């Protein structure tokens, strides 16, 4: 079992600060920034479970809030922010830049793990920072929301979708046809959109760890 250090952090983005948790295992090979879906936060149970597996694979993780507490409250009432993909992508890009400025992670390559709408934001951010982002994983994501950025993504991209999540499978297949980078789509058997079925989230974590480990330099 690897020892992991956890640190609460604040990430500047425009005129707001975004709360997060940076977890750094010994001899990290890189850092994975998580972009959660609508209605979620750095406390997402699913993302924390995946992050724990990545940490044991020697990858640092950054789980952070894409929205402030006030924005999240308004979003619950109005849905104002959840599909504002340019805003979410800009904040994720700011987090990538923040990681480059932090002594503990300045030399790390970056991977992005996007869930739901966060996957669209992750792909846009990767296209904006091609020299920093080395790999992307989408879990039940909406890569189609990356729109015109899709052909400009250079980082190898893994799209993981539940085999029973029919509508999202179609959206992922459509987006994959627009990707010019190395990419792969994997359907997890018996899984629906939230991967709540026994063993399915663990399979997502295993696939993500293998993908990131295979595309980021060894420690």
């Amino acid at each position: 079992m690897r020892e992991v250090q956890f640190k609460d952090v604040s990430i500047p983005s425009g005129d707001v600060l975004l709360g997060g948790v940076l977890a750094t295992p010994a001899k990290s090979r890189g850092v994975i920034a998580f972009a959660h879906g609508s209605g979620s936060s750095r406390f997402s149970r699913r993302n924390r479970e995946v992050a724990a597996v990545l940490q044991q694979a020697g990858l640092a993780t950054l789980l952070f809030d894409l929205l402030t507490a006030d924005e999240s409250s308004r979003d619950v009432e109005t849905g104002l922010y959840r599909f504002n993909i340019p805003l979410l992508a800009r904040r994720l890009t700011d987090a990538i830049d923040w990681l480059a400025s932090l002594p503990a992670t300045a030399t790390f390559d970056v991977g992005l793990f996007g869930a739901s709408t966060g996957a669209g934001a992750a792909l846009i951010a990767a296209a904006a920072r091609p020299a920093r982002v080395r790999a992307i994983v989408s879990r039940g994501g909406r890569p189609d929301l990356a729109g015109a950025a899709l052909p400009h993504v250079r980082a190898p991209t893994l799209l993981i979708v539940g085999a029973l999540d029919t509508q999202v499978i179609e959206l992922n297949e459509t987006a994959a046809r627009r990707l010019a980078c190395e990419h792969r789509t994997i359907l997890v058997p018996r899984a629906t959109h939230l991967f709540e079925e026994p063993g399915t989230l663990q399979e997502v974590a295993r696939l993500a760890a293998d993908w990131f480990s295979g595309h980021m330099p060894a420690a």
Side-chain angles (χ1 to χ4, degrees), residues 48-119:
R48 289 169 68 182
E49 288 186 22
V50 173
V53 174
L54 298 184
Q55 291 153 17
Q56 291 307 309
L59 294 157
T61 61
L62 173 65
L63 278 73
F64 74 105
D65 297 337
L66 287 167
L67 301 178
T68 66
D70 180 61
E71 289 168 344
S72 294
S73 295
R74 279 186 280 162
D75 187 66
V76 169
E77 296 174 359
T78 66
L80 181 63
Y81 297 102
R82 64 188 60 192
F83 284 103
N84 188 341
I85 306 304
L87 171 67
L88 304 183
R90 186 163 61 251
R91 290 184 173 175
L92 181 56
T93 304
D94 288 341
I96 294 169
D97 294 342
W98 176 83
L99 287 166
S101 73
L102 197 68
T105 54
T107 61
F108 287 179
D109 288 315
V110 175
L112 301 178
F113 184 95
S116 190
T117 54

Side-chain angles (χ1 to χ4, degrees), residues 35 83-94 96 112 114 117-130 133 136 142-155 157 179:
F83 284 103
N84 188 341
I85 306 304
L87 171 67
L88 304 183
R90 186 163 61 251
R91 290 184 173 175
L92 181 56
T93 304
D94 288 341
I96 294 169
L112 301 178
T117 54
L123 287 159
I124 294 173
R129 295 292 184 270
V133 178
I136 305 165
R142 291 288 309 275
D144 55 299
L145 296 176
L150 285 167
H152 303 288
V153 175
R154 295 292 172 261
T157 299
L179 288 170

